[in-house]
């Protein structure tokens, strides 16, 4: 049947990095675009002797903004040939500063920073898949091409499919939300040098680890929080708190900016990107509980120690619980803000946190661990 319209639910997204393609299943709500900066010139003058006055305007295209893209994926750990992988692993690799892919079987270091003495960004073994940010103290990150494919059902077959390419794409931000009833979802966003409509790429056989499985989704309701305070912080005791979550989120941002010249007489295009301050922030919610070492005690301790310049907690989210498939975010040096109340049928509190490095030059704010089933 011929088709002149394209449907969003049929879209396929591919990430091309280091000569390899990954197929990444995305959720509804994806977007990609590239805007233009314009300058408007107007004239404003008094009347001439005939009572006339020029009132026109002229507009110029000055430059193209960096292309912007965003989409959401489910977090999907899996096991491939006894090694723990993830459907969306290439996006985490780009997020954490990878420039090289080595997915050979038996190689634990599947992504690294591409330096002569390569720093492992993602390590995969028979126990889990670890993502760290040791190679992310870079001015410029590894780039990929992100392809959006809109299939066609007309008589032209696959040759009539429409492909849009975000060329030189980087991952700027990832937000993981774990609400009470849902499936663990990651919101990805970033920029690219340019957006073009392109002929079909040579996809070969794209990697799609666990993309067809129905057993690797993570249920948010099983999520657990392990929160321990370090000693020597005023009224904050050096032991664990007993908190049962009702929701939360964590956001990792590279604060990337694209640089564009401003020459006259031409439409300027982005030259490239530079990374900014890496930030890892988030929040979690729970009911106000009077249990021993519960949320009421945490709130009391934080208020009593409000004169502590920088409080420090070891914080680990076990998203999906402690049984595979699951995903954990470990923040060994998290600073907590004083909780805020939410007055509803059951009183709840929200706690904002900032994951910090052990030293301002270090990269150990967070370690991410996938465990496949």
């Amino acid at each position: 049947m011929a088709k002149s319209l394209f449907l969003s639910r049929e879209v396929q997204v591919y990430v091309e990095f280091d000569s390899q393609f990954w197929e990444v299943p995305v959720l509804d709500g994806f977007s990609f675009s590239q805007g233009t900066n314009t300058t408007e010139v107007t004239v404003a003058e008094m009347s001439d002797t005939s009572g006339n006055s020029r009132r026109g305007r002229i507009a110029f295209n000055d430059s193209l903004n960096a292309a912007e893209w965003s989409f959401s994926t489910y977090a999907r750990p899996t096991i491939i040939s006894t090694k723990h992988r993830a459907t969306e692993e290439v996006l985490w690799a780009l997020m954490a500063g990878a420039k090289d892919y080595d997915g050979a079987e038996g190689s634990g270091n599947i992504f690294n920073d591409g330096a002569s003495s390569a720093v492992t960004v993602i390590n995969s073994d028979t126990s889990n898949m670890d993502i760290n940010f040791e190679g992310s103290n870079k001015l410029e990150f590894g780039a990929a091409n992100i392809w959006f494919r809109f299939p066609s059902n007309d008589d032209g077959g696959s040759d009539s499919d429409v492909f849009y390419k975000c060329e030189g794409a980087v991952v700027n931000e990832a937000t993981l939300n774990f609400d009470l009833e849902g499936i663990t979802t990651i919101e990805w966003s970033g920029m690219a040098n340019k957006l073009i409509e392109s002929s079909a790429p040579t996809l070969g056989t794209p990697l799609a680890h666990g993309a067809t499985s129905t057993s690797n989704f993570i249920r948010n309701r099983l999520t657990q929080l392990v929160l321990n305070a370090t000693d020597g912080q005023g009224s904050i005791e050096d032991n664990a708190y007993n908190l049962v979550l009702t929701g939360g989120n964590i956001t990792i941002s590279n604060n990337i900016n694209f640089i564009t010249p401003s020459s006259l007489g031409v439409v300027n295009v982005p030259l490239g990107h530079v990374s900014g301050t890496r930030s890892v922030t988030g929040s979690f919610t729970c009911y106000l509980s009077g249990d021993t070492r519960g949320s009421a005690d945490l709130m009391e301790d934080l208020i009593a120690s409000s004169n502590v310049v920088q409080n420090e907690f070891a914080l680990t989210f076990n998203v999906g619980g402690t049984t595979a498939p699951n995903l954990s975010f470990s923040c060994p040096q998290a600073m907590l803000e004083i909780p805020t109340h939410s007055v509803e049928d059951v009183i709840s509190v929200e706690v904002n946190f900032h994951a910090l490095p052990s030293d301002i030059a270090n990269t150990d704010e967070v370690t991410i661990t996938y465990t496949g089933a």
Side-chain angles (χ1 to χ4, degrees), residues 11-326:
V11 73
Q12 295 169 295
V13 176
Y14 302 95
V15 179
E16 177 189 2
F17 174 70
D18 197 21
S19 303
Q20 176 65 53
F21 282 86
W22 282 259
E23 182 175 359
V24 181
V26 301
L27 309 184
D28 190 24
F30 66 89
S31 68
F32 54 93
S33 63
Q34 185 166 26
T36 304
N37 294 313
T38 61
T39 295
E40 182 180 278
V41 178
T42 61
V43 292
E45 60 184 5
M46 296 183 182
S47 173
D48 62 16
T49 57
S50 301
N52 298 321
S53 175
R54 286 176 289 193
R55 302 172 51 246
R57 70 185 184 100
I58 300 175
F60 299 95
N61 286 329
D62 293 328
S63 61
L64 295 178
N65 292 320
E68 297 181 349
W69 59 268
S70 66
F71 51 73
S72 298
T73 68
Y74 290 125
R76 301 180 69 178
T78 191
I79 297 177
I80 304 295
S81 300
T82 74
K83 299 295 181 64
H84 291 254
R85 306 290 288 267
T87 310
E88 67 281 7
E89 64 186 19
V90 65
L91 297 171
W92 280 121
L94 293 167
M95 181 82 210
K99 292 186 177 181
D100 181 69
Y101 170 67
D102 181 9
E105 298 296 338
S107 172
N109 171 17
I110 56 175
F111 291 94
N112 62 66
D113 68 347
S116 55
S117 53
V119 174
T120 300
V121 173
I122 296 183
N123 184 77
S124 168
D125 56 31
T126 57
S127 299
N128 49 49
M129 184 184 81
D130 289 324
I131 305 162
N132 67 74
F133 290 78
E134 293 179 11
S136 66
N137 273 356
K138 297 288 191 298
L139 183 64
E140 187 176 37
F141 276 29
N145 296 324
I146 298 180
W147 297 81
F148 293 84
R149 177 185 188 178
F150 294 89
S152 171
N153 292 330
D154 63 20
D155 295 337
S158 61
D159 291 338
S160 300
D161 293 353
V162 175
F163 286 85
Y164 292 99
K165 176 184 178 184
C166 292
E167 189 172 287
V170 292
V171 177
N172 184 51
E173 191 168 279
T175 298
L176 184 136
N177 295 296
F178 37 96
D179 58 355
L180 189 61
E181 300 295 343
I183 298 172
T184 305
T185 303
I186 308 171
E187 300 171 2
W188 306 93
S189 63
M191 292 88 81
N193 282 328
K194 60 182 177 180
L195 171 65
I196 59 175
E197 183 176 345
S198 176
S199 57
T202 304
L203 294 172
T205 304
L207 297 180
H209 300 314
T212 59
S213 173
T214 58
S215 62
N216 61 351
F217 294 99
I218 299 175
R219 292 174 291 170
N220 289 335
R221 199 179 185 92
L222 302 176
T223 298
Q224 301 172 7
L225 170 64
V226 179
L227 182 66
N228 291 276
T230 56
D231 203 3
Q233 302 185 74
S235 300
I236 302 176
E237 298 181 19
D238 181 19
N239 54 20
Y241 289 88
N242 177 29
L243 305 178
V244 179
L245 299 182
T246 57
N249 65 81
I250 183 168
T251 297
I252 305 172
S253 178
N254 285 319
N255 289 296
I256 291 173
N257 288 306
F258 272 73
I259 299 174
T260 304
S262 55
S263 301
L264 299 177
V266 297
V267 178
N268 295 280
V269 297
L271 298 178
H273 70 274
V274 291
S275 60
T277 302
R278 181 180 51 254
S279 67
V280 182
T281 59
S283 67
F284 57 87
T285 58
C286 57
Y287 292 131
L288 183 63
S289 169
D291 293 342
T292 302
R293 304 299 292 166
S295 56
D297 283 347
L298 174 63
M299 187 167 189
E300 179 183 351
D301 290 347
L302 288 172
I303 292 174
S305 302
S306 57
N307 60 340
V308 175
V309 175
Q310 186 182 81
N311 62 53
E312 185 176 305
F313 292 79
L315 181 155
T316 299
F317 290 104
N318 292 314
V319 184
T322 56
T323 303
N326 67 344

